[in-house]
Amino acid sequence: MSEATSMPPPLDPRVFDSEEFQKDPFPIYKQLRDHHPIYHDRFHNRWIISRYWDVDGAFQDNESFDRAMYKPDGPYDFGSRHVFGPNILEYGNSDEHRRLRNIVAGQFVGQKLQDFLPMIDQISEEVIDRFIDKGEVEIVSEFASQVPIRVISNMMALPREDEDTFVEWYQLLIAGLGFGGEHLTRGLQARNDMWDYIDPLIKERSKNPGEDLLSRICVAEIEGSRMTVEEVKGFISLLLAAGGDTTEKAIANMWYHLLYTRPDQLQDVIDNPALWENVFTEMMRYDPVVHAQFRYTTREIPLYNDVIPERAGVILYLGAGNRDERAFKDPDTFDIHRDDLHMGRENRSGRYKDGKNGHLGFGIGQHFCMGYAMARQESAIACSKLAERIKNPKGKMADHPGISSPNIDSGGFRSPQDLWMTFDK
Amino acid sequence: MKVKIDKNKCYMSGECYYNHPELFKMDDEGYPIVLVDEINDDAMKKHALEAIEVCPAVALSLEE
């Protein structure tokens, strides 16, 4: 009760722009949860929610917290703020969103996903072949960033001989998003090269569609008409960023935690590869790739002793909710054997039959990550394939600067910048 | 026609009520509640059939 009655210590909102926060946001998250469960950040003109059940509640209450900017007397304002142009993530609560989501969502779950697993196996092995004789690997560039993009490229049935070029474009594009400056210039060039490459493929698949993902996107009808070539490109960009970049960072973060946060649990995973699923789940709780989701209120939201006004921007800090003592014991301990976290597959409802709490790393509800099953399977397969082929894996550097989000424009995707590992064969 | 939910099979994925809020909503635990008791128009039947198809737990069915 003292939380509500005593004056909370002040929190300077400029801390959210600091390098310190990008590197280690968790002390600030705790301050938010304990003293400002609803925080009005006047400096950035937004509100912040950080406790587990409040973040969960906002995700569940999609009517009140809209993904798109809400305009009572006009259309959704989508596309204007995204370098790739309009995309599904900005369609908010509209029926369009459900239609667009359903075009591709089915590709990433169930039998379709099962059909892709042998291909993920094969791609993982091929990527590992490239460095296995060296006795060391830089996990981010030589492993993590190689696998997901090759998988997506295969799902879209791009010619395999062009895969290396595609990976190169993708890496430049992601670096451009993440670091800006000269990286951005090179990233935009890579994007244009990628568009020039994919343009004739879009035209061809629109005429003679196959069963692949690119064809499906090309021929999908939204309210009776197909997407334009530009819209298809926007959709593909989203798949590359949301499906490739996040999964790559998930894989890197999993290895980082086993090499540096809990080297004592690395051997457990090597002895029992089924535990890679736990590593994935605990990573998604402890320090997920994405820490924040944005919403706009469609009505006044009374919460604790405050009221968020209508049409206000709200940050849902799922990274903070995941460390909430109200939901998890010893939340600041990374533990793949945790008994209070639902370790199996994630549910869009955020509710589980075992009564345990789930991580919030994929969001919940209407905008729940549609690639969740793919991300989980792909990460677990790629990691277990690598672990199978090496002995005595160790972090090469005694100290590692750790995980951070390089730049807010990258979406704040968190990962180590590089991660060297040595091993025996 | 009625939509039937097998609660033993259902693992609360949430796909039915998030994809078809016209026909389902979530209860306090996470299970779906069917909002339309008797399915008799084509639009609602389409929602029902799609929900049955996307249910990853194969927990939904239509009964005469």
Side-chain angles (χ1 to χ4, degrees):
Chain A
M1 287 313 287
S2 62
E3 289 173 9
T5 48
S6 65
M7 273 300 270
L11 183 64
D12 184 340
R14 284 170 298 184
V15 74
F16 296 111
D17 303 319
S18 67
E19 231 171 88
E20 165 207 353
F21 181 74
Q22 283 176 10
K23 202 164 159 34
D24 184 14
F26 299 104
I28 302 296
Y29 288 164
K30 183 165 174 52
Q31 217 179 320
L32 285 167
R33 286 192 310 267
D34 287 352
H35 303 293
H36 311 271
I38 171 168
Y39 178 71
H40 185 190
D41 175 352
R42 290 181 173 83
F43 186 75
H44 299 94
N45 188 27
R46 62 193 181 184
W47 297 71
I48 293 175
I49 293 176
S50 51
R51 287 186 184 172
Y52 183 90
W53 292 111
D54 297 335
V55 173
D56 174 87
F59 275 133
Q60 301 273 3
D61 186 1
N62 204 51
E63 292 289 307
S64 307
F65 294 88
D66 198 336
R67 179 65 182 74
M69 177 58 93
Y70 167 68
K71 286 187 179 167
D73 53 353
Y76 285 111
D77 174 27
F78 51 71
S80 53
R81 296 184 303 116
H82 206 282
V83 291
F84 291 131
N87 69 59
I88 184 175
L89 285 181
E90 300 200 18
Y91 278 77
N93 291 347
S94 61
D95 288 345
E96 287 294 88
H97 172 267
R98 272 199 279 162
R99 285 195 203 96
L100 279 170
R101 186 179 164 117
N102 288 342
I103 294 169
V104 286
Q107 296 290 303
F108 302 122
V109 293
Q111 191 54 48
K112 283 275 186 196
L113 174 58
Q114 295 304 312
D115 294 345
F116 280 123
L117 297 186
M119 183 261 287
I120 299 175
D121 282 1
Q122 190 196 331
I123 285 171
S124 302
E125 298 285 11
E126 287 173 9
V127 167
I128 295 164
D129 285 342
R130 294 177 175 216
F131 60 74
I132 191 72
D133 291 330
K134 291 196 295 177
E136 64 174 29
V137 57
E138 197 286 282
I139 288 179
V140 176
S141 59
E142 292 181 85
F143 181 61
S145 73
Q146 297 282 337
V147 177
I149 184 64
R150 288 173 197 276
V151 170
I152 293 177
S153 158
N154 262 268
M155 291 179 83
M156 296 199 295
L158 302 182
R160 285 220 72 181
E161 62 267 25
D162 300 331
E163 217 174 272
D164 285 340
T165 313
F166 207 67
V167 171
E168 201 177 307
W169 285 331
Y170 164 80
Q171 288 182 332
L172 289 169
L173 192 57
I174 296 304
L177 283 173
F179 299 106
E182 60 185 285
H183 292 284
L184 183 60
T185 317
R186 280 202 293 269
L188 291 175
Q189 182 59 47
R191 183 195 65 181
N192 294 342
D193 292 345
M194 190 189 281
W195 286 166
D196 290 346
Y197 169 80
I198 217 159
D199 200 82
L201 289 174
I202 292 175
K203 286 169 184 150
E204 166 61 22
R205 305 275 172 95
S206 301
K207 281 198 214 96
N208 302 306
E211 286 297 303
D212 62 281
L213 188 55
L214 180 57
S215 294
R216 276 184 70 101
I217 296 169
C218 288
V219 301
E221 293 197 355
I222 312 291
E223 293 203 323
S225 59
R226 289 183 182 183
M227 284 185 268
T228 64
V229 172
E230 294 311 308
E231 285 170 333
V232 170
K233 287 175 179 174
F235 212 122
I236 291 164
S237 301
L238 175 70
L239 290 178
L240 297 182
D245 195 16
T246 51
T247 310
E248 128 182 13
K249 284 173 169 131
I251 293 171
N253 290 353
M254 288 160 78
W255 281 98
Y256 170 81
H257 287 305
L258 292 179
L259 292 171
Y260 287 98
T261 313
R262 286 306 292 265
D264 60 312
Q265 294 192 336
L266 176 56
Q267 194 56 47
D268 297 353
V269 186
I270 288 170
D271 294 342
N272 179 9
L275 287 173
W276 280 107
E277 300 253 337
N278 292 40
V279 179
F280 179 83
T281 314
E282 176 64 344
M283 177 278 296
M284 288 297 281
R285 183 198 71 83
Y286 182 83
D287 192 350
V289 178
V290 176
H291 275 217
Q293 288 286 317
F294 296 86
R295 293 291 188 270
Y296 298 96
T297 55
T298 59
R299 62 173 180 90
E300 286 189 347
I301 314 281
L303 197 61
Y304 299 102
N305 294 323
D306 219 329
V307 177
I308 308 178
E310 185 179 336
R311 285 200 276 169
V314 182
I315 294 187
L316 309 180
Y317 265 130
L318 55 94
N322 277 344
R323 294 281 190 109
D324 193 344
E325 299 81 355
R326 296 155 193 84
F328 299 108
K329 292 181 299 248
D330 299 324
D332 294 328
T333 302
F334 184 93
D335 180 5
I336 63 168
H337 304 300
R338 189 169 269 287
D339 64 8
D340 57 355
L341 173 66
H342 176 80
M343 285 290 183
R345 49 153 291 167
E346 291 80 3
N347 277 350
R348 198 171 170 183
S349 67
R351 301 289 175 268
Y352 299 95
K353 278 197 160 178
D354 60 13
K356 295 176 185 177
N357 293 326
H359 69 77
L360 302 171
F362 285 131
I364 288 175
Q366 192 69 40
H367 300 282
F368 184 69
C369 173
M370 67 182 178
Y372 74 98
M374 181 88 189
R376 164 179 283 274
Q377 291 269 29
E378 197 174 318
S379 303
I381 290 174
C383 291
S384 63
K385 289 282 169 199
L386 176 54
E388 238 172 55
R389 292 182 62 182
I390 59 178
K391 290 192 187 74
N392 303 320
K394 285 189 184 69
K396 189 180 178 184
M397 318 300 170
D399 288 312
H400 191 284
I403 288 174
S404 78
S405 42
N407 184 318
I408 198 68
D409 293 335
S410 72
F413 290 177
R414 288 175 61 78
S415 71
Q417 198 163 341
D418 54 38
L419 182 62
W420 284 95
M421 177 173 77
T422 60
F423 55 84
D424 303 326
K425 261 178 86 175
Chain B
M1 254 179 281
K2 288 178 194 302
V3 177
K4 210 182 139 209
I5 300 163
D6 184 338
K7 279 204 175 185
N8 290 320
K9 285 187 187 165
C10 173
Y11 55 74
M12 311 193 282
S13 76
E15 294 297 330
C16 59
Y17 42 80
Y18 281 110
N19 288 321
H20 302 282
E22 297 85 352
L23 186 53
F24 303 92
K25 74 168 189 178
M26 174 179 161
D27 75 7
D28 291 341
E29 286 175 278
Y31 289 106
I33 297 171
V34 183
L35 295 171
V36 180
D37 197 39
E38 194 65 39
I39 309 277
N40 42 29
D41 66 284
D42 285 351
M44 212 42 90
K45 189 173 174 190
K46 189 162 180 281
H47 282 301
L49 292 174
E50 279 182 27
I52 290 167
E53 197 185 318
V54 300
C55 175
V58 200
L60 299 176
S61 56
L62 259 184
E63 272 193 349
E64 283 304 324

